């Protein structure tokens, strides 16, 4: 549970970073940029974790995939508030 919570925080922070950088370099919206960051991190983060801890990649992919889904839901709810403002 703690691993999923920590992974969610990291996914949100990296997604916000992508959401800030990609619209400056491309025509993507902030929401699309954040989701692109989540897609990248959903496959990169388990690889980094499995190399450092010795856990198989597939076993690391499950909690990081769950964390990416939770982060996507957070971004969805942030999107609706940003458009209303």
């Amino acid at each position: 549970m703690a691993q999923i919570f920590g992974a969610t925080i990291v996914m949100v922070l990296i997604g916000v970073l992508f959401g800030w950088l990609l619209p400056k370099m491309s025509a993507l919206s902030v929401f699309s940029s954040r989701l692109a960051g989540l897609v990248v991190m959903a496959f990169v983060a388990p690889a980094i974790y499995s190399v450092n801890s010795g856990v198989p990649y597939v076993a690391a992919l499950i909690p990081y995939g769950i964390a990416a889904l939770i982060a996507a839901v957070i971004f969805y709810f942030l999107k609706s508030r940003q458009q209303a403002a």
Side-chain angles (χ1 to χ4, degrees):
M1 186 68 178
Q3 182 182 9
I4 293 174
F5 181 71
T8 301
I9 291 172
V10 170
M11 295 279 186
V12 168
L13 292 175
I14 297 295
V16 168
L17 178 66
F18 270 77
W20 180 68
L21 288 175
L22 285 180
K24 295 179 185 298
M25 297 184 286
S26 66
L28 289 174
S29 68
V30 173
F31 182 68
S32 297
S33 300
R34 289 178 177 174
L35 292 182
L38 286 180
V39 168
V40 169
M41 286 304 295
F43 294 104
V44 172
I48 294 170
Y49 178 71
S50 66
V51 166
N52 290 331
S53 66
V55 174
Y57 179 78
V58 176
L61 187 65
I62 294 169
Y64 282 97
I66 293 170
L69 290 175
I70 293 170
V73 169
I74 291 170
F75 288 150
Y76 177 77
F77 285 117
L78 287 175
K79 174 187 164 197
S80 62
R81 290 181 185 211
Q82 289 175 351
Q83 287 179 348

